[in-house]
Amino acid sequence: MSLLLDIDHVGKTFTQGGLLSRRSIEAVKDISLQIEAERPEILSVVGESGSGKSTLAAMVLGQQLPTRGRVLFDGVDVASIRSGADRRAFMAKVQPVLQNPFEAFNPLKRVDRYLFATAANFMAATGKPTRQEIEARVDRALVEVGLTLAEVRGRFPHELSGGQLQRTAIARALIPDPRLLVADEPVSMVDASLRMSIVNLFSSLRDRLGLSIIYITHDLATAYYISDRIIIMKKGEVVERGNAREVLDNPQHPYSIALKNAVLTPDFA
Amino acid sequence: MQTEALLRSPDIVVEPTLTVERLKAYYTTKAFGIDRDIRAVDDISLTVAKGEVYGVAGESSSGKTSLIKTIVGAIRPPLHVVGGTVRFNFGGQTYDIYDLKPDELQAIRWRHLSYIMQGSMNVLNPVRRIKHSFYDFAFPHMGLGRATFWDRVRDHLRKLDLDPGVLDSYPHQLSGGMRQRTTIALATVCTPEFIVADEPTTALDVIVQRDVLTMLRDIQRDLGSSFLFVTHDMSVHATVSDRVGIVYAGRLVEEADTPTLFRSARHPYTQHLVASLPKIGDTTRRASLSGRPPSLADPPPGCRFHPRCPLAMDVCSKEVPPLVSIAPRHRVACFAVTGAPS
Amino acid sequence: MFTIVRDLIRYNIEFAVGFAILLLLIGAVILSFFSPYPAADIYVVAPDMPPDAEFWLGTTSRGQDNFWQLMIALRNTLAFGLGVAFLSRILSLVVGLTAGYAGGRVDRVLMAINDSVMVIPHFPILVLFYFVLKDDMNWLMLVLILSALGWSYDARLIRSIAMSLRTRPFTTQSVYSGMSMRKILVEEHLPYVMPIVFATTMNNMIWSIGMEITLSVLGFTDVDTPTMGQMIYWANSHSALISGIWWWVAAPVVAIIVLFIGLFLLSMSMNEYIDPRSRLNRMGS
């Protein structure tokens, strides 16, 4: 059994303040978590603001290094990645999907530019790609998310809807053929009428492309709807973990119970 | 015309606290020769009865924030009112918002009308103790002596399960939820008859959100105030609103009592919003609408929903469906429901 | 480009006035190349003549035509201000964007240099340079020295913007698109700091031209290149105001004021045009 992602007793402490008044904040305390390479899954990380879920995501993406423990991706310690080439090889396998699609694209630039840049930069590892190869790769990724290059080409972010833009962002992340997507609140800024299409897209990507997805959210209802496994975090610690449906149908930890009870359910039936 | 129909309906006996008639408000921008009209509020009529919580639901940039800005008279260019009236009825006296002079409008704000903004916890001055905010905002409007004023403030806080000790804190010492509850306390200390709340819980965590909603509900019950409650989150409406109006691209498309709306919505857009809500314990597949919300600068002709509508007919792209009462307290603007005009 | 200028002239009165002044200045610069007298020659016309039909701005006590002196001085002063602004903008952009984006040790080193430059008192240093360099202190040298002194405040300003840009999600998106740091800085971040660059260009030109004038009036520069400051220097050294040759002083002073007003109006209106928010508004978001 090989592990795609192995988070091994990871902790992250931030220090604030100057020389005299140093304070340290433990954003993540001793978390271990594994995703198997052979079994793609959607793993939800649920918690409130300040629970450390975004810090955990940043460590998986290699944006922040843990102060304790190790994050291993495909057996390689993320902290040991130094050279530009290694970094690029790592980024080809782990890609982020950001929260607000309107902020994830520079509003002054056309959106297709990120798609072409991604294709050109990550295909360069196997010889310099031609214009046609790049366009074909971009189009394939867009078809994967239910769009076409014709719809996106030359558009500015404000000319697309939140849903289209978030799909475009996901397509961009798919271009280097990643193994893992880290999606931090990917639907919280998408309009209600388009939200479920993004959520459904995640499960179809898992099934069709064998992609694992870490889905970070505060929304228990969508976590229940798509995820295979769930971990519930509070103040940097995992308070409950397991099969998503089992945990949410029957939460054990007092905090998980409080969280579930706080979910507003429209029940008039 | 539609409002008259509603006013004639037997449910409403007394004059409503808020009457909005055929309100139109556009953003007009002139940037280097390009003039654009953004029809953020387009021909909206609604009423809010005394003691009622009226929810306004809609997606981002559907014009719901512009709607409440025009209702409370907080209109700054480039937003301007093109037509229609907004009337409040406080204690038998009618105030037409657009006929009031600025100082009269100022006087009824806080006293009768209170506005809880999105992210309003940031109205507290970060470098002064919270009691100063209370003093600055509320004291001039209450017409009380200092001692009575502070007694009233402390009573009010206690009633809302807030420790009066928060008055001596600085905003940064409180958590986000506490700050939001304190601001709500501040906005309601003058016991206003009408409270407008714009996404008051959107930035909050779920557990805190539940507390804040419970608090708002309690205030409404205690004071008997009317609420105009705006949020995009349908499950929040399900919890707090008595009646919900669905806004799509600057127009009101459906309005009904909350249970009716969730059980038997008639407009295809509302039906979709209700059906797409995920629920814990239910994994049946949720569909999503195709297309995208229209741009308010260049909305589609006829019914603005027709390009995305599964029931669209020929007439939908040509004529604007009127908002028609199909049952008591249930209005809908859809030709598929009310029948096409002959 | 043409339509932008046309729209700005039509809808922005500040720009229209600033643009008119700019045209006037450009006209003066072009005109200066047709001067009938070489700039440094003296006693080519009758001295101390008040303004009349032949000598529009009179003549100086050194026997030069005041009008042609002014045209040439205007050209040199403008070139001076633009040169300093251009070089120091490049320095502040490179330092500011790099320090803000890279952070950590790079930031600390660059900011240590930056702050050192910031605390150097400009005027004494310039005087010191003059006494060390003496005859080597020519016009180009002064441009280089002032550029080397005039970037640090703006680099700090640009750094603070770059720091916030680094945390914007689109930067993360660019990083994970495999873009290089240079590409991110030039293509993604630069448009956001351009308004600052334009606004500071104005300040910088006022500062450098003012500095040059101060030094010239005191005689701490190369006296052979006529500039605004040089004109005032020579006027002073001939006690122009006392002997009633007011036009010798008035011409450069009025020209400087008009120049500054024109620059100010242009930078203000261009700023509004370049600001990403108003740009987005026009693009129709």
Side-chain angles (χ1 to χ4, degrees), chain A residues 48-49 159-161 164 191-194 196-197 200 220-222 224-225 245 249 259 261-264 266 268, chain B residues 59-60 205 207 209-210 235 238-239 262-263 272 276-278 281-286 288-289 291-292 308:
Chain A
E48 305 204 326
S49 52
E159 295 177 307
L160 298 171
S161 74
Q164 281 174 313
D191 283 327
S193 67
L194 304 165
M196 292 319 283
S197 70
N200 289 336
L220 293 185
T222 53
Y224 185 92
Y225 179 70
R245 309 274 151 82
D249 280 333
L259 211 54
N261 286 340
V263 174
L264 307 168
F268 295 98
Chain B
E59 296 180 295
S60 57
D205 287 322
I207 295 179
Q209 166 173 291
R210 175 130 244 179
S235 43
T239 317
F262 277 88
R263 240 184 268 129
H272 165 77
S276 70
L277 280 177
D282 182 0
T283 57
T284 47
R285 195 177 158 79
R286 298 285 195 273
S288 195
L289 276 177
R292 56 174 296 191
R308 306 172 75 190

Side-chain angles (χ1 to χ4, degrees), chain A residues 219-248:
Chain A
D219 179 12
L220 293 185
T222 53
Y224 185 92
Y225 179 70
I226 58 161
S227 50
D228 303 295
R229 264 199 303 161
I230 191 169
I231 64 174
I232 295 176
M233 286 183 70
K234 188 195 180 190
K235 292 191 176 151
E237 283 174 298
V238 175
V239 297
E240 192 160 355
R241 63 167 81 206
N243 178 296
R245 309 274 151 82
E246 283 166 20
V247 168
L248 289 178

Side-chain angles (χ1 to χ4, degrees), chain A residues 30-43:
Chain A
D30 195 43
I31 286 185
S32 293
L33 182 70
Q34 284 80 30
I35 293 178
E36 286 173 34
E38 308 307 322
R39 215 174 52 199
E41 62 172 329
I42 297 178
L43 172 78

Side-chain angles (χ1 to χ4, degrees), chain A residues 115-226:
Chain A
L115 301 170
F116 292 134
T118 310
N121 289 326
F122 288 105
M123 288 163 81
T126 55
K128 196 167 164 52
T130 64
R131 188 80 202 158
Q132 281 90 356
E133 283 171 341
I134 290 177
E135 293 205 354
R137 184 70 199 89
V138 168
D139 193 44
R140 185 148 63 86
L142 283 167
V143 169
E144 214 69 84
V145 300
L147 292 169
T148 58
L149 185 52
E151 288 176 77
V152 173
R153 193 194 288 273
R155 299 294 193 94
F156 283 100
H158 64 84
E159 295 177 307
L160 298 171
S161 74
Q164 281 174 313
L165 212 51
Q166 191 62 296
R167 279 164 188 277
T168 311
I170 294 169
R172 191 211 55 78
L174 292 178
I175 287 173
D177 283 321
R179 308 278 306 279
L180 178 68
L181 289 188
V182 179
D184 193 349
E185 304 272 8
V187 293
S188 65
M189 305 302 279
V190 176
D191 283 327
S193 67
L194 304 165
R195 182 170 299 169
M196 292 319 283
S197 70
I198 304 287
V199 173
N200 289 336
L201 176 63
F202 282 131
S203 44
S204 105
L205 289 178
R206 170 198 58 195
D207 299 340
R208 281 184 297 132
L209 303 180
L211 204 61
S212 286
I213 296 163
I214 296 183
Y215 175 61
I216 293 162
T217 186
H218 65 272
D219 179 12
L220 293 185
T222 53
Y224 185 92
Y225 179 70
I226 58 161

Side-chain angles (χ1 to χ4, degrees), chain B residues 315-335:
Chain B
V315 62
C316 299
S317 58
K318 293 184 191 112
E319 283 183 52
V320 180
L323 195 62
V324 177
S325 285
I326 53 164
R329 299 168 66 80
H330 192 168
R331 296 190 292 162
V332 64
C334 180
F335 288 129

